[in-house]
């Protein structure tokens, strides 16, 4: 009964989404207030309906209703209760439903907080979001129905993929989706801007809307940052190899929107404050959301080989591709026809903040294009019959470093340069001590590093430069006098946090790559293996049952310079249903280094395979990412972005009078 | 504002993103078509052309009776691995039933890692296309066949040689394109 | 030329130069990091090319782990196994921990090079989800079988 209710809710949601898009968009075009007024209630109704569907599927999982095919494929009676909740998004159909739910959440939020906008703008924004919802709901209902019945009910379910039975993996998809899907808001705004008539063209309107869109974009980007960081952290402790980024197509699919999303949030700042870069901001908004959709396509269509793609299906791939074509193709056609004059906004000199941010846009976009090329190259080669190719990680990492190095060098200059025109010598005077410090620190690190001296030096120098350069900016604003306010706005705090986060990330990424060490050995109980400052002794391996698995549990004593330091318990788990074997690495976490031990397989003759790693500063990677995420959220909280009713009642800004009377 | 000569150049640049996207979409389209054409599920099994493993397995509907591979020899048969716990087996069920009704070949069921009562109930609910249902509740014999799960389908000829294997549900498309030609060839041999 | 025009030109030229440099870098990086996938048959028959067969080039070997072929030296990390594509067989040796999903009769992709008639693997990968086989390996094996008509063989002498 409940699954059928869920299915009905989805169908109704589709109808509501169709109404939410058709009527308001037509209404905005023709100036019919009643049609435009449909948008808000439809948005809330959509959330309610999709929410009901999601709740129905969750209920089916929690109550272990194996008469629903999707539940039978992703859960079984041994699955602990907690994972039954999260198994809902364990594979394709359910994760799509989650996508739809997150979309309806964002839509409803936009509807709730859109009071300050002119009627036609709001109608168009919600209308475009409704169109996206129509696409996803149709995809769900017609090709990927999570509520399909399996009769008679399966006696036992297959099991949730053991890789997903893990706290990190639970929260990673929702956070990622909040980010991906959130970019629909700036996208919808961009479309609305291009669709609009005279009320759109004025510079005042542009800046007002951007003031409205910016917090949404920043929040979406912050969630995406969090989602990607979670994925990286999860891969590190779950996959057993100690790696934190593999340039795998699925990872790249989430990283590309992040890169252009970062460009977008900076470009929006320029357009909002100076009116310039309008074309860039529009295009970046389209690109970011398009890449989100592309990511969804790549992961589910079977077009690319990946270590962790969903069970892929070419016919579903076709549907998404057509959807992608309509959404992206349509918006780019609109862009070609309606994009604003590139000579917009106030002109700026070569030495100005605008120029630096333009470089920022270029570098980030190029990096994204480079990743896209590497990700799709195997497909291109296959289509052109050049053979089955894979692109190794060094392609990505080398080019990424080459592109990001100039960016890292320029970051401290950005906030300190004035708008429009500045003298470079003025800024250099503020920054050169920190440049010297960075070089000195880098040199010291170079000579102290046990290995990988170049990477270590680059990491330390880069981090000191960016970190202190950013703090120099904060100091220049905080200290009284010289026309500064003696405080930082949340927008500035957010920027400071995010840029410092970048510095922290640099330390983590470069130092771990430069200084990590590893050994893979065959050991017998009692034997001592040394690595770096530590010695590892395998004491024993015992059988150890779990709720839905049986594990071989190793006890490994860790010594530091001869004295006992800690004991680690790596495991190798065999899951009852499905028979999958999983490695649970044992990690001794630390601020300056992680100790990582993974148990291999029994090698006969009482020996076991053991992998040991020392990962210096690896946690700084995720700490840096978290700071960047925090920066995004803090920026979004700036009161300046809250557009009040008063602003929109300016005669030249709003549309017809009826704006004020919509509930 | 800007010199008139710049205008046409500007408009051309605006269409660039769309052109780039069109190229990308064409590539992705090719990718989807490519992955459609290759039948990923037709695992070329190392067992093809080799004799089917010898077995002696219980029969679902006749408790106590064991059927051996020798008993089945002499004429080709289709072996379909299924379970009441297997959702995709439902998808191929009508296709297999239609094939069984043509009576061109014996359709033998291989009930893998199931429960007796559930298997019986499943067949009652959906209909039983099988000439005979062998049961392997432990899955031990399945390993010899190279079976990892369900649904999987084999065709064994009269001499006991495996001639075809398919992993995944036997859809109508698979039936027409792959299975029936093998059946026809075996009939021609006879 | 007026100053606006000249500045524009400088911008455009700078952009074009940067794009050219970027393109050159990308092409170089791609070429250095491409790894082709070949099946045992392609390597043995010489289809994969002389650099692959001689061991000069690093490549990926794809196929299935032949049943009964995995053996480990007692108490050591060295193992050998045979990779087959339904056509030909290739011996592989590897020193290290084999991935969790590595099993006989399962698809595998190993990266490494040829050394004296056998393949020495630096990395061995097995897939991490329920799908049976990486698309590219299945494609290749399907091709091999189409070529030799193994699946459609009337006389049953495919092997």
């Amino acid at each position: 009964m409940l699954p059928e209710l869920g299915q009905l809710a989805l169908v109704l949601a589709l109808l509501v989404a169709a109404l939410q898009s058709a009527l308001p968009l037509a209404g905005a075009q023709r100036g019919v207030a009643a049609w435009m007024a449909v948008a808000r209630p439809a948005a809330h109704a959509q959330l309610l309906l999709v929410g009901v569907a999601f709740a129905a599927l969750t209920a089916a999982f929690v109550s272990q209703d194996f008469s629903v095919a999707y539940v039978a494929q992703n859960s079984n009676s041994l699955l602990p209760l907690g994972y039954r909740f999260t198994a809902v998004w364990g594979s394709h159909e359910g994760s799509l439903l989650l996508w739809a739910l997150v979309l309806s959440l964002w839509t409803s939020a936009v509807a709730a907080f859109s009071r300050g906008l002119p009627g036609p703008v709001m109608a168009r924004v919600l209308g475009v979001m409704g169109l996206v919802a129509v696409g996803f709901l149709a995809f769900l209902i017609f090709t990927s129905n999570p509520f399909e019945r399996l009769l008679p009910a399966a006696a036992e379910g297959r099991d949730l993929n053991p890789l997903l039975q893990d706290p990190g993996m639970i929260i990673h998809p929702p956070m990622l989706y909040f980010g991906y899907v959130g970019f629909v808001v700036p996208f919808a705004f961009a479309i609305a801007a291009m669709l609009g008539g005279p009320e759109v063209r004025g510079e005042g309107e542009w800046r007002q809307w951007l003031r409205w869109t910016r917090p949404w974009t920043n929040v979406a980007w912050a969630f995406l940052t969090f989602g990607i960081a979670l994925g990286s952290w999860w891969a590190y402790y779950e996959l057993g190899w100690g790696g934190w980024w593999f340039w795998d197509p699925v990872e790249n699919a989430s990283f590309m929107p992040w890169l252009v999303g970062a460009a977008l949030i900076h470009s929006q700042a320029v357009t909002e404050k100076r009116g310039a870069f309008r074309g860039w901001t529009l295009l970046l908004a389209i690109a970011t959301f398009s890449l989100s959709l592309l990511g969804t396509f790549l992961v589910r269509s079977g077009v690319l080989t990946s270590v962790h793609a969903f069970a892929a299906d070419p016919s579903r791939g076709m549907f998404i591709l057509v959807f992608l074509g309509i959404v992206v193709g349509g918006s780019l056609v609109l862009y070609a026809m309606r994009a604003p004059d590139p000579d917009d906004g106030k002109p700026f000199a070569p030495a100005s903040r605008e120029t630096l941010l333009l470089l920022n846009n270029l570098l980030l976009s190029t990096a994204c294009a480079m990743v896209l090329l590497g990700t799709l190259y195997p497909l291109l080669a296959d289509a052109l019959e050049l053979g089955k190719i894979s692109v190794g990680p060094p392609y990505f990492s080398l080019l990424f470093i080459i592109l990001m190095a100039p960016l890292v060098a320029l970051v401290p200059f950005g906030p300190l340069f004035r708008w429009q025109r500045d003298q470079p010598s003025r800024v250099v005077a503020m920054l050169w001590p920190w440049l010297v410090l960075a070089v000195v620190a880098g040199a010291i690190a170079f000579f102290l590093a046990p290995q990988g001296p170049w990477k270590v030096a680059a990491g330390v120098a880069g981090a000191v430069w960016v970190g202190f350069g950013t703090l120099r900016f904060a100091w220049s604003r905080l200290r009284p006098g010289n026309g500064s306010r003696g405080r930082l706005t949340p927008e500035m705090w957010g920027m400071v946090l995010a840029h410092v986060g970048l510095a922290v990330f640099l330390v983590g990424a470069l130092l771990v790559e430069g200084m990590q060490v590893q050994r893979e050995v065959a050991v017998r109980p009692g034997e001592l293996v040394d690595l770096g400052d530590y010695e590892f002794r395998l004491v024993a391996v015992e059988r150890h049952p779990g709720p839905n698995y049986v594990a071989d549990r190793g006890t490994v004593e860790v010594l530091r310079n001869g004295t006992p330091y800690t004991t680690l318990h790596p495991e190798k788990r065999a899951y009852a249903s499905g028979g999958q074997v999983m490695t649970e690495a044992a990690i001794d976490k630390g601020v300056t280094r992680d100790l990582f031990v993974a148990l291999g397989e029994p090698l006969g003759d009482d020996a076991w395979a053991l992998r040991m790693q020392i990962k210096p500063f690896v946690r700084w990677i995720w700490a840096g990412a978290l700071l960047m995420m925090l920066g995004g959220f803090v920026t979004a909280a700036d009161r300046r972005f809250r557009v009040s009713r008063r602003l929109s009642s300016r005669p030249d800004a709003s549309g017809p009078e009826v704006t004020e009377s919509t509930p | 504002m800007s010199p008139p000569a710049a205008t046409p150049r500007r408009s051309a640049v605006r269409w660039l993103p769309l052109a780039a996207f069109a190229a990308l979409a064409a590539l992705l389209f090719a990718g989807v078509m490519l992955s459609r054409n290759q039948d990923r599920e037709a695992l070329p099994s190392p067992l093809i052309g080799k004799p089917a493993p010898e077995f002696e397995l219980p029969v679902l509907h006749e408790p106590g009776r064991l059927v051996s591979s020798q008993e089945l020899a002499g004429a080709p048969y289709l072996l379909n691995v299924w379970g009441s716990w297997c959702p995709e087996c439902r998808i191929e069920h009508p296709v297999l039933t239609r094939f069984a009704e043509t009576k061109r070949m014996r359709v033998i069921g291989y009930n893998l890692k199931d429960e007796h009562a559930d298997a019986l109930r499943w067949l009652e609910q959906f209909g039983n296309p099988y000439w005979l249902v062998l049961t392997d509740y432990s899955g031990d014999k399945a390993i010899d066949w190279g079976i990892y799960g369900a649904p999987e389908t084999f065709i064994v000829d009269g001499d006991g040689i495996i001639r075809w294997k398919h992993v995944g549900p036997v859809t109508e498309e698979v039936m027409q394109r792959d299975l029936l030609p093998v059946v026809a060839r075996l009939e021609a041999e006879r | 030329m007026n100053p606006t025009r000249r500045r524009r030109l400088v911008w455009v030229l700078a952009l074009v130069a940067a794009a050219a440099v970027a393109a050159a870098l990308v092409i170089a990086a791609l070429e250095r990091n491409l790894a082709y996938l070949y099946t045992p048959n392609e390597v043995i028959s010489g289809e994969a090319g002389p650099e692959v067969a001689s061991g000069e080039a690093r490549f990926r070997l794809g196929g299935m782990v032949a049943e009964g072929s995995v053996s480990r030296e007692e108490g050591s990390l060295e193992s050998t196994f045979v990779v087959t594509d339904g056509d030909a067989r290739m011996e592989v040796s590897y020193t290290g921990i084999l991935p969790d999903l590595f099993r006989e009769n399962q698809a595998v992709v190993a990266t490494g090079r040829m050394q004296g008639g056998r393949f020495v693997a630096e990395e061995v990968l097995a897939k991490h989800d329920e799908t049976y086989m990486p698309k590219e390996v299945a494609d290749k094996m399907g091709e091999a079988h189409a070529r030799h008509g193994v699946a459609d063989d009337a006389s049953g002498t495919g092997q």
Side-chain angles (χ1 to χ4, degrees):
Chain A
M1 234 299 277
L2 217 50
E4 274 67 40
L5 187 64
Q7 192 148 2
L8 180 64
L10 275 183
V11 175
L12 287 175
L14 177 64
L15 290 171
V16 167
L19 282 174
Q20 181 192 323
S21 47
L23 286 176
L25 282 173
Q29 199 62 26
R30 284 159 164 231
V32 180
W35 293 0
M36 292 195 277
V38 168
R40 280 207 194 100
H44 298 309
Q46 199 201 119
L47 173 61
L48 184 65
L49 289 165
V50 179
V52 163
F54 195 82
L57 190 60
T58 308
F61 266 93
V62 171
S63 65
Q64 303 191 309
D65 182 0
F66 296 136
S67 70
V68 177
Y70 181 70
V71 177
Q73 283 166 347
N74 288 283
S75 167
N76 73 5
S77 56
L78 294 172
L79 194 66
L81 178 62
Y83 292 129
R84 271 183 255 154
F85 276 98
T86 66
V88 174
W89 54 86
S91 78
H92 174 69
E93 291 85 348
S95 72
L96 264 185
L97 184 56
L98 180 64
W99 226 103
L101 179 66
V102 172
L103 179 62
S104 61
L105 274 166
W106 278 97
T107 312
S108 187
V110 168
F113 293 107
S114 64
R115 313 247 156 208
L117 288 174
V121 175
M122 190 269 313
R124 287 198 173 105
V125 168
L126 289 177
V128 170
M129 294 176 79
L131 276 177
V132 175
V134 165
F136 268 90
L137 288 167
F139 186 51
L140 261 172
I141 294 172
F142 295 117
T143 78
S144 321
N145 189 357
F147 295 109
E148 212 162 276
R149 285 283 194 180
L150 176 70
L151 292 167
E156 182 58 88
R158 267 227 235 139
D159 200 8
L160 182 62
N161 189 341
L163 275 178
L164 304 178
Q165 293 184 33
D166 173 275
M169 213 33 181
I170 291 170
I171 191 172
H172 161 66
M175 292 298 105
L176 216 51
Y177 289 179
F178 265 96
Y180 267 170
V181 178
F183 285 120
V184 76
V185 178
F187 173 77
F189 256 79
I191 303 292
M194 290 187 289
L195 283 174
E199 83 274 8
V200 167
R201 295 295 158 185
E203 197 177 296
E205 284 70 45
W206 268 97
R207 300 168 72 157
Q208 189 178 319
W209 298 356
L210 277 165
R211 211 169 297 146
W212 199 90
T213 326
R214 284 188 64 197
W216 298 93
T217 317
N218 275 282
V219 167
W221 182 85
F223 273 117
L224 188 59
T225 309
F226 190 39
I228 295 176
L230 278 172
S232 163
W233 173 63
W234 174 83
Y236 170 75
Y237 74 74
E238 187 61 37
L239 293 183
W241 307 326
W244 57 275
W245 191 258
F246 305 90
W247 295 107
D248 182 84
V250 169
E251 289 174 324
N252 295 348
S254 64
F255 194 49
M256 289 188 280
W258 186 88
L259 286 168
V260 285
L264 177 62
I265 55 184
H266 290 85
S267 192
Q268 280 182 335
V270 178
T271 311
E272 190 234 325
K273 293 175 202 268
R274 310 295 299 172
F277 294 5
R278 270 189 245 175
W280 267 105
T281 301
L282 279 178
L283 207 51
L284 285 171
I286 296 176
T288 312
F289 186 59
S290 307
L291 285 165
S292 298
L293 286 180
L294 180 68
T296 308
F297 167 79
L298 287 176
V299 168
R300 288 159 207 283
S301 63
V303 153
L304 290 176
T305 311
S306 158
V307 167
H308 45 291
F310 282 105
D313 183 344
S315 53
R316 284 174 180 160
M318 194 53 103
F319 190 111
I320 306 182
L321 188 59
V322 170
F323 182 55
L324 203 67
I326 295 174
V327 170
V328 180
S331 45
L332 288 176
V333 166
L334 200 56
Y335 177 80
M337 297 196 303
R338 294 285 196 97
D341 192 333
D343 286 328
D344 56 357
K346 307 178 168 63
F348 54 90
S352 64
R353 197 186 291 175
E354 285 96 330
T355 304
L356 288 172
L357 287 172
L358 179 61
L359 281 171
N360 181 63
N361 277 359
L362 281 170
L363 286 168
L364 285 171
S365 305
T366 309
C368 177
M370 178 274 291
V371 172
L372 184 65
L373 177 66
T375 308
L376 290 180
Y377 194 76
L379 177 60
L380 181 64
D382 198 8
L384 296 177
E385 307 248 326
L386 296 174
K388 304 280 182 188
I389 288 177
S390 79
V391 180
Y395 159 83
F396 294 101
S397 42
L398 177 69
L399 288 178
F400 192 69
I401 290 175
I402 292 178
L403 283 167
M404 290 296 107
L407 193 129
V408 165
L410 291 175
V411 164
F413 288 100
L416 287 170
F417 258 84
R418 293 204 188 99
W419 291 112
Q420 190 165 17
R421 181 189 305 278
D422 201 349
Q423 295 144 296
S425 50
R426 183 187 74 90
V427 179
V428 170
M430 288 193 255
L431 285 176
W432 75 260
W434 309 110
L435 181 62
V436 171
L437 182 65
V439 172
V440 168
I444 295 175
F446 185 87
F447 290 110
L448 284 182
Q451 66 238 47
W454 286 105
K455 285 196 179 127
V456 174
V460 170
V464 168
W465 169 237
V466 171
F468 282 99
T470 305
L471 290 174
R472 174 66 179 85
F473 159 78
W475 184 60
S476 72
R477 290 287 170 147
L478 281 172
R479 77 168 167 188
N482 262 3
S484 71
R485 256 169 285 149
R487 62 175 180 90
L488 289 168
T489 63
E491 193 183 349
M492 292 178 201
W493 273 117
M495 182 198 71
V496 167
L497 275 170
H499 289 187
V500 168
L502 178 63
V504 171
F505 171 80
L506 278 176
V507 170
L510 286 168
L511 264 59
V512 86
E513 292 301 303
M515 296 203 287
Q516 67 181 340
V517 284
Q518 153 173 323
R519 275 186 84 173
E520 240 172 62
V521 289
V523 283
R524 285 178 194 74
E527 284 177 2
L528 206 64
V529 182
D530 58 45
L531 182 67
D533 286 338
Y534 300 88
E535 294 97 38
F536 299 82
R537 181 193 291 127
L538 176 67
V539 172
V541 180
E542 290 140 357
R543 276 276 137 137
H544 188 91
N548 53 343
Y549 61 84
V550 172
D552 284 319
R553 191 158 195 257
T555 305
V556 175
E557 263 171 23
V558 183
L559 304 132
R560 194 176 184 179
N561 294 322
T563 49
Y565 183 74
T566 184
T567 311
L568 295 171
H569 295 282
E571 285 182 12
K572 206 138 182 95
R573 294 182 185 170
Y575 282 81
S577 155
Q580 271 204 294
V581 175
M582 292 271 335
T583 307
E584 284 291 317
I587 304 178
D588 182 59
K589 309 178 183 115
V591 173
T592 54
R593 96 282 169 281
D594 268 20
L595 296 176
F596 192 99
V597 179
L599 192 65
E601 67 255 37
L603 302 173
D605 194 25
D606 222 18
W608 281 82
L610 206 65
R611 181 190 293 123
M612 290 143 293
Q613 299 184 3
I614 301 180
K615 318 277 284 181
F617 295 100
V618 71
R619 309 240 145 216
W620 288 53
I621 294 173
W622 306 305
L626 284 176
L627 281 172
M628 287 194 253
M629 170 196 81
L630 212 60
F633 282 129
V634 167
T635 303
D638 196 321
R639 205 163 283 180
R640 205 166 60 86
F641 298 129
R642 290 174 210 171
V643 176
S644 63
R645 265 215 149 98
R646 241 180 307 123
L647 269 168
S648 67
S649 51
R650 275 168 36 210
D652 55 311
S654 60
E657 210 63 58
V658 286
T659 316
E660 296 303 301
S661 64
T662 39
Chain B
M1 268 203 24
S2 47
T7 321
R9 183 169 38 127
R10 218 192 318 139
S11 327
V13 169
R14 280 188 202 190
W15 291 95
L16 202 57
L18 182 64
F21 174 69
L24 178 69
L27 175 65
L28 296 175
F29 178 74
V32 174
M33 293 315 273
L34 273 177
S35 54
R36 236 185 194 173
N37 285 335
Q38 302 287 1
D39 184 358
R40 237 189 300 170
E41 313 285 17
L43 261 188
S45 164
L47 285 174
I48 290 180
K50 295 228 166 53
E54 306 247 311
F55 58 83
E56 201 176 51
L57 291 169
V59 174
L60 180 71
H61 293 99
E62 297 165 59
R65 177 179 168 203
L66 293 170
V67 166
S68 71
S69 36
Q70 266 93 329
E71 261 183 74
L72 294 175
Y77 61 90
L78 183 147
L79 189 81
N80 174 247
V81 181
W82 66 279
S84 65
W85 46 267
C86 155
E88 293 186 311
C89 298
R90 276 195 48 215
I91 298 174
E92 62 172 11
H93 189 91
V95 180
L96 283 175
T97 305
R98 273 197 297 277
F99 174 72
E101 281 162 9
T102 66
K103 299 216 184 300
R104 290 170 76 176
M105 190 182 282
R106 293 170 294 174
V107 176
I108 301 196
Y110 191 105
N111 186 224
L112 177 69
K113 296 196 191 170
D114 213 338
E115 299 274 326
H116 189 87
D118 294 334
L120 284 173
R121 196 177 352 133
W122 196 90
L123 291 174
E124 244 177 71
Q125 185 96 21
F126 288 109
N128 184 359
Y130 302 114
W131 187 79
L132 185 74
V133 181
L134 302 168
T135 65
D136 181 359
Y137 292 152
S138 62
D140 291 335
K141 209 59 199 156
I143 297 174
D144 292 341
W145 282 85
I147 296 173
Y148 328 106
E152 293 189 17
T153 305
F154 296 80
I155 293 185
V156 181
D157 71 14
D159 301 319
I161 309 285
I162 298 179
R163 300 293 287 270
W164 188 74
K165 173 178 175 177
H166 182 83
V167 170
V170 174
T171 60
E172 195 55 54
E173 198 191 340
V174 172
M175 171 70 68
Q176 296 297 330
R177 194 189 58 204
D178 299 327
L179 198 156
L180 289 178
V182 178
V183 172
R185 201 162 297 115
L186 288 175
E187 284 169 346
E189 280 172 27
R190 240 190 279 152
Chain C
M1 199 186 290
N2 70 48
T4 325
R5 260 278 180 82
R6 185 170 343 156
R7 189 185 309 157
R8 273 245 178 98
L9 189 62
V10 169
W11 263 115
V12 169
L13 281 178
L15 222 66
V16 168
V21 170
L25 277 173
V26 165
I27 291 175
L30 257 185
E31 266 187 290
R32 235 177 325 129
N33 290 292
L34 287 181
Y36 283 85
L37 176 82
Y38 297 114
T39 59
N41 181 50
E42 286 176 330
V43 179
I44 292 173
S45 69
E47 253 177 80
E51 289 118 21
V52 166
S54 69
E56 215 182 290
R58 214 162 153 258
F59 69 101
R60 296 178 305 146
L61 183 73
M64 301 234 299
V65 181
E67 198 175 323
S69 70
V70 182
S71 79
R72 223 181 229 299
E73 225 173 87
E74 275 269 309
S76 98
L77 282 175
E78 283 165 38
S79 57
T80 56
F81 53 94
V82 171
V83 173
T84 174
D85 58 8
D87 245 349
R89 296 164 67 92
M90 168 87 73
E91 255 199 34
V92 178
S93 59
Y94 175 66
T95 306
I97 298 181
L98 290 166
D100 290 336
L101 283 159
F102 180 84
R103 222 177 285 168
E104 292 176 0
N105 273 329
Q106 287 264 41
V108 69
V109 175
T111 313
R113 53 185 87 215
M114 296 295 296
Q115 256 177 51
R118 53 164 43 191
F119 183 78
V120 176
E122 295 156 30
E123 199 182 57
V124 174
L125 279 178
K127 279 205 80 163
H128 266 275
D129 59 39
E130 324 83 67
T131 56
Y132 293 111
M133 182 180 270
K135 167 182 177 298
E136 5 172 53
V137 178
D139 286 352
K140 290 255 172 160
M141 291 179 69
E143 280 170 27
H145 273 253
R147 228 189 347 257
H148 292 254
V150 173
D152 320 23
D153 199 298
S155 58
T157 54
Q159 286 304 5

